[in-house]
Amino acid sequence: MRVPLSWLREFVDLPADVTPEAVLADLVRVGFEEEDVHRFELTGPIVVGEVVSFDAEPQSNGKTIRWCQVDVGEAEGGVRGIVCGAGNFFAGDKVVVTLPGAVLPGPFPIAARKTYGHVSDGMIASAKELGLGDEHSGILRLVELGIDAPVGTDAIALLGLDDVAVDINVTPDRGYALSVRGVAREYSHATGAAFRDPGLRPWGEVNLHDEQAFSVAVDDRAPIRGREGATEFVARIVRDVDPTKPTPAWMVARLTLAGIRSLGILIDITNYVMIELGQPIHGYDLDRLTGGITVRRAQQGETLETLDGKVRTLDPEDLLITDESGPIGLAGVMGGGTTEMTDATRNVLIEAATFDTVSIARTARRHKLPSEASRRFERGVDPAIAFVAAARVAELMVAYAGGTDTRAGGALLRAYETPGIDLPSGFVPGLIGVAYTPEEIVAALEMIGCRVTAGADGWAVSPPTWRPDLTDRWTLAEEVARIEGYDRIPSMLPTPPSGRGLTLAQQGRRRTANALAAAGYVETPSFPFTTEAANDLHGSESGEHLPSIKLANPLDGQSPFLRRSLVPGLLEVAHRNVSRGFTDLALFETGMVFLPAPGVTYGTDTVPPLATRPDAATLAALDDAIPPQPRHVAVLLTGNVSPKQPGHPSVAADVADALDAVRTIAAAAGVTVDVAQTRRAALHPGRTAVLSVHGREVGYAGELLPAVAEAAELPGRVIVAELDLDLALSLAGERVVAASLSGFPAATQDVSLVLDAEVPAADVGAALHDGAGALLESLRLVDDYRGAGVPEGAKSLTFALRFRAPDRTLTAAEATESKLAGVAVAAQRFGATLRE
């Protein structure tokens, strides 16, 4: 929210020498975030000048320039020669002159320079050149703005170009601060400065003489989710306006600093009041309306052309403003083109209403049509301000557009009473941890506009109409802490009770992520949304269609499904990096996947009340409505794991590197992962492994098929691995016990076995391990040979064995005996023979 200080000063007392930085600091004290400071980027000398005379001089390029003599109020002579290309002014007109040394937005420095055969000693400025709008068809004539200032007057101050705006971030729960009124009130809270509420005008000023002079109705017989679309609707008629009158310069300056373009006096006034009071206003060309106005929901198939020129197909949930001809506006979002105010408008119907926040928010998102109005409505507008805002618009139209306020119109009002909140006397100090006195609590709540009534054990608090975010005692406690100052809250963290640290599963996840990061992998969290095809390809073993959870309201319509695997997200990250020149990648992600069971429908339409804890049956039903969401860990490698350097060729990533990552994960999780060859959709046959712990499959590793890598727009080989981290951690048990270290030397031997080529090497290794017994400390496959010397259809597997005893130095005979015992088991299971 951008607030010009001159505007803010109208409603709250600012020190005369206050800086925008000081105002921001004060607003930060009451909970707002500082964004920026906005100024008109120009410097003087810029003065009021009077065109004494000019000569029109046609040029060879077909253009006609004017060689002007302009009085700028200087003591000696005071007349300067200036070349001007515009032709919309006359001798005797007062204009804005930028003299040499001035700098206009751009930046565009002004200097005396020779042009068209003359030395132009300055420039006569247009509104656009001064930063006051987009109008650039001619220079700015002060008479059109109703300004008659002496020659030589500082034009920067005259036009409000010396103003400055502070910019704060307004959180969704503080919609009242999307107005100068709201920010002024908050500045008063922060500093104690006197606040003058523009919304507290005498009721006689804002009431209508004839509330039924114009027909207004709300037809929302079947409100969405039990919420009626409109609760207040005020219409007021102003006649005989002149839409061609210029917007006052001070108003244009304020709107510009607030981030709003000047669009003509009538629209500028409605925008001005919206920024001032926080109440969105819409103006209709009364003569283009057919009959009265009805607020209703859209019918299936209805369309509306909005002010941006687009024809929109409406949804039955959309709230509409209609007349007898049909829809004329999306309520609270944008008006329609058929009734918009134009330069031909003579009579205006002013609309100020209170619409349902949820309906407006959903309509704005559905049509991708955010607006300043919807931004305020979806956060909550003060329901008591509509009459005041309509009267303020009428007042400004009379003053600056020459209209006549008929003080007639139509109104639908509803008695609005904010629900009371019980606040026990000890609740706020107990929650915040500060010993607030009862007087401080009452003073803070009354300062923000609450009515506080003392009771036996506390207070009954009625929030003001502009604070819909105050709904319970917790939000009231937050306000007390905010008004009394966050600096009073101790910064000391409480001591947690014993045993309340990370769970074993959380510790395991953290160890896993830290281990992969230490191994050189980069963590890349990604969105959990993907396509159904990607789920079928990467989330199953054979690529068959599997059930996936489809979102009812996805962020991206191209990826509406929740992922069954982490690999699609890693592929997107890899593609993004490769497209930017990063070709050697080692990525990992830990995150949840969503695995619905076949034939099960998830989700629920029953939402339990939020004020009380649901019972066990309700919680169980809510859990059953959610699909299983195990946490997985996945890695992706592509390019080189070791770059080319002097004396060392580059080393491309392969499946062995993915298996190394798997062993890193297994060590962090406290499990031993068994690796065996398998087949899987999307992975290269012969380069795919199944990963298991204690006989239970926990994941896979392998190289993507070239076609799959190409579809992901990734060049070269792509290696992936994915494990069910929750399952692996559960199989590790509650404790990870470190192995005892022997102080005796190891005995190493190799063994080469010849057996059928279809037997997985992992099974052979398991046989050797089972047969060798307790003396075998480690076993590692070092060679898989198929060729000369080995029978057709067979292979030779070489394993490196390491033996060690905890209490003695092994002899070579003991190691050999243990090795041969393992060979015997391999021979029994697979017909393996020692290779000669």
Side-chain angles (χ1 to χ4, degrees), residues 365-397:
R365 285 159 177 74
R366 182 181 301 112
H367 295 284
K368 296 181 176 59
L369 194 60
S371 65
E372 291 291 336
S374 67
R375 185 183 176 206
R376 286 162 175 78
F377 276 124
E378 66 188 28
R379 287 163 171 80
V381 169
D382 182 359
I385 201 70
F387 258 127
V388 176
R392 176 67 167 150
V393 171
E395 174 188 332
L396 293 175
M397 285 189 176

Side-chain angles (χ1 to χ4, degrees), residues 683-759:
L683 297 184
H684 199 295
R687 300 177 189 170
T688 304
V690 62
L691 312 173
S692 56
V693 175
H694 303 322
R696 295 187 62 180
E697 183 177 334
V698 296
Y700 65 91
E703 179 184 333
L704 286 185
L705 288 168
V708 175
E710 183 179 355
E713 299 184 58
L714 293 175
R717 302 171 67 182
V718 180
I719 314 299
V720 297
E722 183 169 9
L723 290 85
D724 186 332
L725 184 57
D726 284 349
L727 177 58
L729 291 171
S730 68
L731 295 175
E734 294 187 356
R735 298 172 57 195
V736 177
V737 180
S740 300
L741 297 178
S742 173
F744 295 92
T748 59
Q749 294 193 17
D750 291 347
V751 62
S752 295
L753 300 176
V754 178
L755 70 167
D756 190 283
E758 296 299 322
V759 178

Side-chain angles (χ1 to χ4, degrees), residues 310-463:
K310 294 183 179 179
V311 177
R312 302 180 184 275
T313 300
L314 304 176
D315 184 273
E317 188 180 346
D318 290 334
L319 194 64
L320 301 180
I321 308 296
T322 67
D323 64 4
E324 293 179 5
S325 67
I328 59 173
L330 277 174
V333 179
M334 185 175 284
T338 59
T339 57
E340 69 175 315
M341 296 182 294
T342 67
D343 287 347
T345 298
R346 291 295 173 266
N347 302 303
V348 175
L349 180 75
I350 302 165
E351 169 213 304
T354 302
F355 297 118
D356 173 46
T357 58
V358 175
S359 292
I360 301 308
R362 290 174 66 89
T363 294
R365 285 159 177 74
R366 182 181 301 112
H367 295 284
K368 296 181 176 59
L369 194 60
S371 65
E372 291 291 336
S374 67
R375 185 183 176 206
R376 286 162 175 78
F377 276 124
E378 66 188 28
R379 287 163 171 80
V381 169
D382 182 359
I385 201 70
F387 258 127
V388 176
R392 176 67 167 150
V393 171
E395 174 188 332
L396 293 175
M397 285 189 176
V398 170
Y400 298 106
T404 300
D405 182 6
T406 66
R407 297 178 64 82
L412 290 174
L413 298 177
R414 181 165 302 177
Y416 188 86
E417 184 68 27
T418 55
I421 301 171
D422 291 329
L423 183 63
S425 56
F427 179 77
V428 176
L431 180 67
I432 306 300
V434 177
Y436 299 115
T437 65
E439 293 76 16
E440 288 176 327
I441 294 173
V442 171
L445 294 177
E446 288 180 341
M447 178 180 285
I448 64 173
C450 295
R451 295 197 307 273
V452 183
T453 305
D457 300 318
W459 302 275
V461 181
S462 295

Side-chain angles (χ1 to χ4, degrees), residues 137-425:
S137 59
I139 59 97
L140 185 65
R141 300 173 65 221
L142 296 184
V143 66
E144 294 178 345
L145 301 179
I147 296 175
D148 185 14
V151 172
T153 302
D154 181 4
I156 293 180
L158 180 69
L159 299 176
L161 301 177
D162 57 347
D163 202 358
V164 58
V166 294
D167 193 356
I168 59 173
N169 180 33
V170 177
T171 54
D173 61 330
R174 300 194 183 279
Y176 66 90
L178 291 173
S179 66
V180 180
R181 178 197 187 203
V183 175
R185 181 183 286 110
E186 289 300 321
Y187 182 82
S188 172
H189 297 344
T191 64
F195 169 62
R196 298 170 292 279
D197 188 353
L200 297 181
R201 301 179 64 182
W203 186 254
E205 290 186 26
V206 298
N207 203 2
L208 299 177
H209 286 324
D210 184 0
E211 297 182 4
Q212 303 306 319
F214 188 85
S215 172
V216 175
V218 175
D219 181 13
D220 197 10
R221 299 186 184 89
I224 305 297
R225 295 175 301 280
R227 302 169 65 100
E228 191 171 1
T231 52
E232 280 84 21
F233 195 101
V234 176
R236 189 162 186 146
I237 296 173
V238 177
R239 296 188 179 276
D240 301 323
V241 297
D242 182 358
T244 63
K245 285 199 171 185
T247 303
W250 58 266
M251 184 181 289
V252 175
R254 288 182 176 182
L255 289 173
T256 301
L257 284 175
I260 305 261
R261 286 190 307 121
S262 175
L263 297 172
I265 183 62
L266 299 181
I267 297 175
D268 288 349
I269 287 173
T270 60
N271 285 334
Y272 186 85
V273 173
M274 176 182 66
I275 300 297
E276 183 173 79
L277 299 178
Q279 168 70 57
I281 300 285
H282 188 69
Y284 301 90
D285 187 326
L286 180 63
D287 299 324
R288 299 172 71 180
L289 290 172
T290 306
I293 281 182
T294 300
V295 183
R296 63 169 173 84
R297 303 284 175 175
Q299 299 173 5
Q300 192 69 44
E302 276 190 301
T303 60
L304 169 67
E305 182 180 351
T306 47
L307 287 174
D308 57 1
K310 294 183 179 179
V311 177
R312 302 180 184 275
T313 300
L314 304 176
D315 184 273
E317 188 180 346
D318 290 334
L319 194 64
L320 301 180
I321 308 296
T322 67
D323 64 4
E324 293 179 5
S325 67
I328 59 173
L330 277 174
V333 179
M334 185 175 284
T338 59
T339 57
E340 69 175 315
M341 296 182 294
T342 67
D343 287 347
T345 298
R346 291 295 173 266
N347 302 303
V348 175
L349 180 75
I350 302 165
E351 169 213 304
T354 302
F355 297 118
D356 173 46
T357 58
V358 175
S359 292
I360 301 308
R362 290 174 66 89
T363 294
R365 285 159 177 74
R366 182 181 301 112
H367 295 284
K368 296 181 176 59
L369 194 60
S371 65
E372 291 291 336
S374 67
R375 185 183 176 206
R376 286 162 175 78
F377 276 124
E378 66 188 28
R379 287 163 171 80
V381 169
D382 182 359
I385 201 70
F387 258 127
V388 176
R392 176 67 167 150
V393 171
E395 174 188 332
L396 293 175
M397 285 189 176
V398 170
Y400 298 106
T404 300
D405 182 6
T406 66
R407 297 178 64 82
L412 290 174
L413 298 177
R414 181 165 302 177
Y416 188 86
E417 184 68 27
T418 55
I421 301 171
D422 291 329
L423 183 63
S425 56

